[in-house]
Amino acid sequence: MQNTEILVLPSSSMVNTTQDPFYFILTGIPGFEAYHIWISNPFCCLYTISIMGNTAILTVIRTEPSLIQPMYLFLSMLALTDLGLTLSTLPTVIQLLWFNIQKISLKGCFAQFFFLHAFSLMESSVLLAMSFDRYVAICRPLHYATILTNSVVGRMGLAILCRCVLAVLPSLFLLKCLLFCRSHLLSHSYCLHQDMIRLVCADIRVNNWYAFVVVLLIIVMDPLLIMLSYTLILKSILGTASWTERLRALNNCLSHMLAVLVLYVPMVGVSMTHRFAKHAPPIVHVIMANIYLLAPPVMNPIIYSVKTKQIRQGIFHLLFQRKMH
């Protein structure tokens, strides 16, 4: 009697991440799909401001030898991070709003997942490094040049890069090993971990615990350390002789404090919305997520251009130099 082999094909409702083709469906602005082409105008303006602003800051720091200092090197790291964060979401957002292309391949989604979360964590890490720079500059000014040399700043930048990449990679690999068996529909116009994990039909306890550890060690720890540095800075400032010196010291920290608020206030807003407004209309979650991802890259170059004299003068110099040529 001849043996027969039965080949069982997987159903369309259960797809392994190693199989091709597989795709996710992105969501634009719920309820306003007919107006996507008009909604794209403010998005394009914000992306343009972010790209041009951060590129201008990087160009000024690169072309001005006097700005090759720790403070401005950290600022260039922040501008690079903001640029990376902007370019991570731009392709899918624009293709969805302009051409109504909602599909994204599995590999494309994982790539966006990696860069989006890596640059988001990097933003927090760079702000933490900048708070340490402000602490040393104000609390230990005589040792500033010996503590924060350019080589030390370079090593700190490398440590930030490794920290964020190593934090995101395990989460990526854990998700890649799971089966997606539910709807392909994502609730945003880009691929987020918390959005993709909802579509998995397997045990996700390891993923959840790892995500909790990352949140605890970076998203919670970084702002706490920033608060600690500013507590020490405030204590040092209050011990100075005159109000003029106190105001000058606070003014030196103002740009960084505003950048911290621009990152963490929307972050807290997104967390509160997910925690206490689960049944809110989808558009609320979409707006909060877009504010969280777009506010820092757009606002940081504006803040530092307005508040930092050297950056402002450098940008004016670049503009007038181009006009003369």
Side-chain angles (χ1 to χ4, degrees), residues 24-309:
F24 291 104
I25 300 173
L26 302 170
T27 300
I29 311 298
F32 294 87
E33 288 82 3
Y35 305 99
H36 274 178
I37 193 67
W38 299 106
I39 294 171
S40 69
N41 291 330
F43 274 92
C44 287
C45 289
L46 292 174
Y47 279 123
T48 302
I49 292 170
S50 175
I51 292 171
M52 292 183 67
N54 287 296
T55 302
I57 288 177
L58 288 169
T59 304
V60 168
I61 294 173
R62 183 177 177 274
T63 55
E64 291 288 337
S66 61
L67 298 184
I68 307 301
Q69 302 173 26
M71 174 184 171
Y72 298 105
L73 293 177
F74 284 124
L75 179 55
S76 66
M77 291 181 200
L78 185 65
L80 274 173
T81 302
D82 285 335
L83 207 53
L85 193 57
T86 298
L87 296 176
S88 296
T89 60
L90 183 139
T92 52
V93 171
I94 295 302
Q95 77 175 16
L96 196 153
L97 294 178
W98 278 2
F99 309 109
N100 198 33
I101 300 174
Q102 293 182 274
K103 289 185 179 180
I104 182 171
S105 68
L106 182 72
K107 291 180 180 179
C109 203
F110 276 124
Q112 187 177 54
F113 164 98
F114 171 76
F115 287 110
L116 185 53
H117 285 285
F119 282 119
S120 182
L121 295 179
M122 214 173 292
E123 184 97 14
S124 177
S125 301
V126 172
L127 288 175
L128 175 60
M130 293 175 82
S131 72
F132 177 70
D133 170 76
R134 292 299 84 203
Y135 163 74
V136 176
I138 293 171
C139 299
R140 302 185 66 183
L142 298 178
H143 301 91
Y144 182 80
T146 55
I147 293 175
L148 282 174
T149 61
N150 290 346
S151 61
V152 169
V153 173
R155 286 197 291 271
M156 289 175 70
L158 185 60
I160 288 170
L161 181 64
C162 293
R163 179 198 196 203
C164 297
V165 169
L166 293 176
V168 174
L169 278 179
S171 183
L172 179 67
F173 290 135
L174 285 170
L175 188 61
K176 199 171 173 59
C177 294
L178 298 176
L179 294 170
F180 292 93
C181 63
R182 297 188 175 92
S183 167
H184 296 193
L185 184 64
L186 299 175
S187 57
H188 297 284
S189 50
Y190 30 77
C191 300
L192 295 172
H193 177 267
Q194 57 267 34
D195 210 8
M196 296 170 70
I197 201 74
R198 293 186 302 105
L199 309 182
V200 168
C201 58
D203 188 354
I204 58 172
R205 281 179 295 179
V206 174
N207 301 68
N208 288 337
W209 275 110
Y210 182 77
F212 175 75
V213 171
V214 171
V215 167
L216 196 65
L217 293 180
I218 297 181
I219 304 301
V220 174
M221 187 67 71
D222 285 2
L224 288 177
L225 291 174
I226 291 171
M227 287 175 61
L228 175 62
S229 69
Y230 273 107
T231 302
L232 297 173
I233 288 170
L234 191 60
K235 183 180 177 182
S236 176
I237 288 173
L238 293 176
T240 56
S242 67
W243 276 102
T244 304
E245 292 177 354
R246 293 175 186 177
L247 291 173
R248 187 184 298 116
L250 284 173
N251 190 56
N252 287 336
C253 298
L254 185 59
S255 298
H256 179 258
M257 287 190 287
L258 291 174
V260 169
L261 290 174
V262 164
L263 174 65
Y264 289 111
V265 169
M267 185 185 291
V268 171
V270 168
S271 301
M272 296 293 283
T273 304
H274 277 284
R275 178 67 180 85
F276 299 108
K278 292 181 179 178
H279 302 293
I283 191 171
V284 174
H285 297 280
V286 170
I287 290 173
M288 291 300 297
N290 282 316
I291 290 173
Y292 166 59
L293 290 173
L294 282 173
V298 171
M299 292 304 299
N300 285 341
I302 295 173
I303 290 168
Y304 279 95
S305 299
V306 171
K307 292 299 300 176
T308 310
K309 182 181 177 182

Side-chain angles (χ1 to χ4, degrees), residues 320-325:
F320 290 128
Q321 192 177 41
R322 285 187 177 182
K323 283 184 178 180
M324 289 177 66
H325 288 295

